[in-house]
Amino acid sequence: MAFISFLAALIPLDGLGHYLHWGVIYISVANFIVIVLMILTFITALLAPFPGRSRRKESK
Amino acid sequence: MSTDIERQWTTRLRHRVAGKLPPEKVLPDTQPAYVASWIYVFGVATMSAMAVVIGTGFILALRGPQWWHESSVGHFVNSLHLWSVEIFFFAMVVHLWGKFFMGAWRGKRTATWMTGVVTFLASIATAFTGYASQSNFDSQWITTQAKDGINSTGAGAFFNVLNFGQMLMWHIVLLPLVAVILTALHVVLVRVRGVVPPYDDTKKVGEAL
């Protein structure tokens, strides 16, 4: 329970949201973080080695 | 006699289904070598998240709003429902980017691509009606903000975001049914046509792998 209270204090969700504003682009920090994480996941999925890939190529 | 049996719609349909989708295609033993990449796991990740969304949705439907707002277990299941939706969309967007850049509509796979597109749109509508059905200040804010936009399209005549009962029915009956049927159709089409090969493997593009 104390750990949950600590987390809640660390990430205050009751206050006003934070927003980023560049010209016509107006986006919440939360949504911006999710988009950045999706882009990073996409790049990692393309570059990270897949387990057993070399073995599959040999059997092909 | 046998000619009569051959002409029956059940016989013809069975032959057609068995020809298009034999058991070895439904549950294949192996996949093409190019599928050995992390970019190919996001379709299954999306469906796994969808299974959690539906499972937690069943529990929420059984217990009702008072339970999910007031009890600790209710809060937990409600949070599981929300966060599995977040993972569902996260995985689906990465899946969409991957399929877009590999041109997944090539080789007579237009229907596979289009069922994916429509499933994405149906999922957005399902999530929206879910946010509208939370029965808290958040849903009140979302629906009062959305009503003007939706009414300006004319859809407000049959889709009234301020009608809680209607939004809940769309969220727990109509739209999940559409999303699940379209997802099943999408997976069947992937099994019929196979996973799209890379651009440099052009001789295999038209083959049903």
Side-chain angles (χ1 to χ4, degrees):
Chain A
M1 203 63 196
F3 180 66
I4 293 171
S5 305
F6 170 72
L7 276 183
L10 202 65
I11 312 164
L13 296 173
D14 290 338
L16 291 171
H18 298 280
Y19 288 83
L20 301 172
H21 196 182
W22 300 292
V24 293
I25 298 168
Y26 191 66
I27 186 170
S28 71
V29 172
N31 282 343
F32 180 74
I33 290 170
V34 170
I35 292 168
V36 169
L37 285 176
M38 285 193 298
I39 293 169
L40 288 176
T41 307
F42 180 69
I43 294 167
T44 309
L46 291 176
L47 300 178
F50 192 78
R53 185 176 171 86
S54 54
R55 198 173 59 242
R56 279 168 183 244
K57 270 189 174 171
E58 281 164 18
S59 63
K60 189 188 173 190
Chain B
M1 186 67 184
S2 64
T3 316
D4 286 343
I5 290 173
E6 288 298 316
R7 281 174 56 199
Q8 282 184 162
W9 73 267
T10 49
T11 313
R12 282 184 283 132
L13 183 64
R14 187 177 67 248
H15 286 319
R16 193 168 174 174
V17 170
K20 288 250 181 204
L21 205 59
E24 62 271 21
K25 266 193 180 183
V26 179
L27 292 170
D29 299 320
T30 57
Q31 286 289 331
Y34 54 78
V35 174
S37 162
W38 285 109
I39 198 66
Y40 287 96
V41 305
F42 287 92
V44 169
T46 308
M47 284 201 299
S48 306
M50 191 187 206
V52 180
V53 172
I54 291 169
T56 51
F58 265 92
I59 300 169
L60 293 173
L62 281 170
R63 303 305 299 262
Q66 196 172 0
W67 177 76
W68 79 60
H69 280 310
E70 292 181 4
S71 76
S72 331
V73 182
H75 281 150
F76 178 69
V77 176
N78 195 23
S79 296
L80 273 183
H81 193 62
L82 170 73
W83 285 103
S84 51
V85 169
E86 303 284 340
I87 294 169
F88 171 76
F89 276 100
F90 190 105
M92 187 157 46
V93 169
V94 177
H95 177 63
L96 166 66
W97 288 345
K99 295 299 157 188
F100 176 77
F101 286 112
M102 63 180 78
W105 50 82
R106 291 175 296 136
K108 297 182 181 171
R109 291 176 177 85
T110 313
T112 315
W113 172 260
M114 286 314 299
T115 49
V117 170
V118 181
T119 309
F120 184 47
L121 298 176
S123 302
I124 292 170
T126 313
F128 171 73
T129 52
Y131 289 116
S133 308
Q134 294 174 97
S135 64
N136 58 13
F137 285 127
D138 191 27
S139 58
Q140 192 179 40
W141 168 259
I142 291 167
T143 49
T144 48
Q145 293 301 302
K147 72 174 171 29
D148 295 331
I150 290 173
N151 287 347
S152 70
T153 67
F158 56 88
F159 187 82
N160 179 5
V161 291
L162 295 179
N163 183 341
F164 170 75
Q166 191 191 40
M167 287 303 102
L168 187 66
M169 288 299 116
W170 275 93
H171 181 65
I172 66 173
V173 181
L174 302 176
L175 289 167
L177 199 64
V178 171
V180 168
I181 290 170
L182 283 171
T183 304
L185 187 61
H186 186 67
V187 172
V188 167
L189 286 166
V190 172
R191 295 274 37 96
V192 170
R193 295 302 309 165
V195 180
V196 71
Y199 274 108
D200 54 4
D201 209 352
T202 47
K203 66 176 187 294
K204 285 185 178 170
V205 162
E207 291 176 18
L209 296 164

